[in-house]
Amino acid sequence: MNNIIYTYESGVYMNITNKCPCSCVFCIRHNGDGLGSADSLWLKGSPSYEEIKSEIDNFDFTPYSEIVFCGYGEPTEELDNLIKSARYLKEKHNLKIRLNSNGLSDLINGEGSAEKLSGLIDSISISLNAPNAEAYQRVCKSRFGTDSFPALLKFAEDCKKYIPSVKFTVVDVITPEEIEECKQIAEKMGIPLRVRALIK
Ligand code: SF4
């Protein structure tokens, strides 16, 4: 096993890459190597689709109705494998698919990446994390710089067309005023926002 599939509390998760364009101040990767059933979520390079499929074939999904793509990296960094494995999980196990994403897929993969998730991803949780481009860079330190925040908003807007449930999250490491501004952005876009506590 390559720790591609792991369980945490009552959920099951897919860890398909360690690549990420960000270095968020709250990233759980700073806390340790493992999470839940996985001793380590550090992969030996991004696994091939064949390796991912092999783990899926060897895992018992009986207790689960949903799987979440969320690991020690941004899943859309491996968009083709994300799409192929989501399709396989749906066809073989009839699972609902959730994607936790930093929303930077268009910068990683090119414009229009939300459309490619249509019919495969049932719900997406996008890390908004800040109310503007400068604050976003302070918190998330994206290698795409201040292009990141507007690209994230555009991706989220696109997701509303292709994914049945779209949500934003912020981590409570920003100021109450910034959280309020995030709420206003989310409300304006018609996307529910969840404020989550920092995992220590
Ligand atoms: S986007 Fe996610 S994986 Fe990447 S640094 Fe931020 S919290 Fe960590």
Side-chain angles (χ1 to χ4, degrees):
M1 296 283 273
N2 197 3
N3 283 337
I4 298 166
I5 301 174
Y6 66 101
T7 58
Y8 176 61
E9 296 180 343
S10 59
V12 62
Y13 297 83
M14 294 286 285
N15 176 46
I16 61 168
T17 185
N18 290 150
K19 288 192 241 166
C20 182
C22 298
S23 182
C24 301
V25 292
F26 54 78
C27 184
I28 197 171
R29 302 190 297 185
H30 303 314
N31 296 0
D33 293 338
L35 189 66
S37 66
D39 295 339
S40 173
L41 289 174
W42 295 112
L43 301 160
K44 296 181 193 83
S46 290
S48 65
Y49 175 62
E50 287 65 35
E51 288 171 303
I52 297 170
K53 186 169 174 290
S54 164
E55 277 214 22
I56 293 171
D57 288 339
N58 287 305
F59 190 85
D60 178 10
F61 288 98
T62 311
Y64 304 102
S65 58
E66 181 188 67
I67 189 161
V68 186
F69 282 78
C70 176
Y72 270 17
E74 165 54 34
T76 62
E77 282 274 4
E78 292 293 340
L79 189 60
D80 283 350
N81 282 346
L82 167 63
I83 290 168
K84 282 187 204 163
S85 43
R87 183 174 292 121
Y88 187 61
L89 284 158
K90 258 197 176 318
E91 286 172 0
K92 186 166 181 193
H93 296 288
N94 196 27
L95 290 164
K96 292 266 182 210
I97 314 278
R98 176 152 63 93
L99 170 61
N100 287 0
S101 174
N102 61 20
L104 301 182
S105 182
D106 286 353
L107 293 176
I108 297 166
N109 297 293
E111 286 282 318
S113 54
E115 189 173 0
K116 295 183 179 166
L117 306 174
S118 180
L120 296 172
I121 304 300
D122 298 288
S123 61
I124 185 165
S125 176
I126 299 171
S127 307
L128 180 62
N129 286 337
N132 58 60
E134 289 69 32
Y136 185 87
Q137 275 307 97
R138 197 182 72 232
V139 176
C140 297
K141 307 179 203 302
S142 164
R143 72 177 161 85
F144 297 114
T146 49
D147 290 344
S148 304
F149 192 71
L152 180 166
L153 295 183
K154 162 85 169 54
F155 177 76
E157 193 62 41
D158 287 350
C159 282
K160 292 195 304 188
K161 286 182 247 164
Y162 302 111
I163 298 177
S165 169
V166 182
K167 291 189 178 130
F168 276 140
T169 61
V170 295
V171 182
D172 63 358
V173 294
I174 56 176
T175 65
E177 291 76 22
E178 286 174 322
I179 289 176
E180 195 47 46
E181 287 177 65
C182 288
K183 283 181 184 166
Q184 285 169 18
I185 290 170
E187 197 175 333
K188 209 167 153 193
M189 292 179 70
I191 298 177
L193 173 87
R194 183 169 73 91
V195 181
R196 68 176 181 87
L198 176 67
I199 299 174
K200 292 178 182 156

